[in-house]
């Protein structure tokens, strides 16, 4: 487990494997998500956070950016649960057009969304709940997930109910 009290930038095993797993965009009918082979550095995250929020003092320390969509929107783990592992942190999305939202309550639930063909952009911008499993993502989720598979709408609703303050957290960074 990764302690969130230190600045750990090592990908959890599930994210490392995700970075090696092909994700098919399928000409707009698949998942619009490109996982990174490593988290963005603290410096990159802070620079991006300042640019995205327009807040010159904004600090990206609570985010671990691990991928993007085709337009440059970013997926991150939000260190909202102090003292808990990175895999227990919610997955969030910060879109290139200013959208932001909670995707899943933890990495396991995020893997189940991916297994159903729903990436961060689809979960937040489209708010899509239509399962469309493809490729190796269902196997990756089955191997790494510590939570049971549930309906995409349930995963998203639970996460949004538990973390309704994410937009406020982002808004506070603009100050």
């Amino acid at each position: 487990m990764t302690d969130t009290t230190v600045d750990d930038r090592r990908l959890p095993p599930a994210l490392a494997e995700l970075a090696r797993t092909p994700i098919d965009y399928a000409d707009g009918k698949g998942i619009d998500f490109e996982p990174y082979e490593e988290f963005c550095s603290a410096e990159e995250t802070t620079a991006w956070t300042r640019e995205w929020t327009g807040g010159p003092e904004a600090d990206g320390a609570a985010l671990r950016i691990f991928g993007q969509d085709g337009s440059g929107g970013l997926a991150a783990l939000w260190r909202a649960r102090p003292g808990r592992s990175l895999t227990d942190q919610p997955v969030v999305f910060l879109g290139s057009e200013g959208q932001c939202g909670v995707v899943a309550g933890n990495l396991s639930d995020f893997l189940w969304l991916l297994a159903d063909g729903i990436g961060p952009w689809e979960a937040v911008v489209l708010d899509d709940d239509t399962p469309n499993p493809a490729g190796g993502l269902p196997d990756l989720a089955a191997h790494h997930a510590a939570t049971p598979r549930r309906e995409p709408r349930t995963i998203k609703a639970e996460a949004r109910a538990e973390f309704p303050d994410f937009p406020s957290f982002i808004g506070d960074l603009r100050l």
Side-chain angles (χ1 to χ4, degrees), residues 32-36 40 48 52 65-76 92-101 103 119-122 124-125:
D32 185 5
F33 181 62
E34 303 165 24
Y36 297 158
C40 287
W48 183 88
W52 197 84
I65 299 171
F66 65 87
Q68 69 178 43
D69 69 8
S71 70
L74 300 176
V92 297
F93 178 74
L94 299 141
S96 63
E97 301 298 319
Q99 314 94 324
C100 71
V103 177
W121 183 81
E122 292 84 7
V124 171
V125 177

Side-chain angles (χ1 to χ4, degrees), residues 48-49 52-55 58-59 63 78 92-94 98-101 165-175:
W48 183 88
T49 302
W52 197 84
T53 64
D59 180 357
L63 299 172
W78 175 35
V92 297
F93 178 74
L94 299 141
Q99 314 94 324
C100 71
D165 56 340
F166 180 66
S168 296
F169 164 77
I170 292 298
D172 290 346
L173 292 176
R174 296 173 196 245
L175 303 176

Side-chain angles (χ1 to χ4, degrees), residues 67-137:
Q68 69 178 43
D69 69 8
S71 70
L74 300 176
L77 294 172
W78 175 35
R79 295 174 22 160
R81 293 178 172 132
R84 304 258 306 262
S85 73
L86 286 177
T87 60
D88 288 333
Q89 303 300 333
V91 175
V92 297
F93 178 74
L94 299 141
S96 63
E97 301 298 319
Q99 314 94 324
C100 71
V102 176
V103 177
N106 55 54
L107 184 56
S108 290
D109 285 347
F110 176 65
L111 295 175
W112 287 124
L113 287 177
L114 290 175
D116 277 330
I118 299 169
W121 183 81
E122 292 84 7
V124 171
V125 177
L126 295 181
D127 199 20
D128 188 4
D129 292 326
T130 307
N132 183 24
L137 296 171

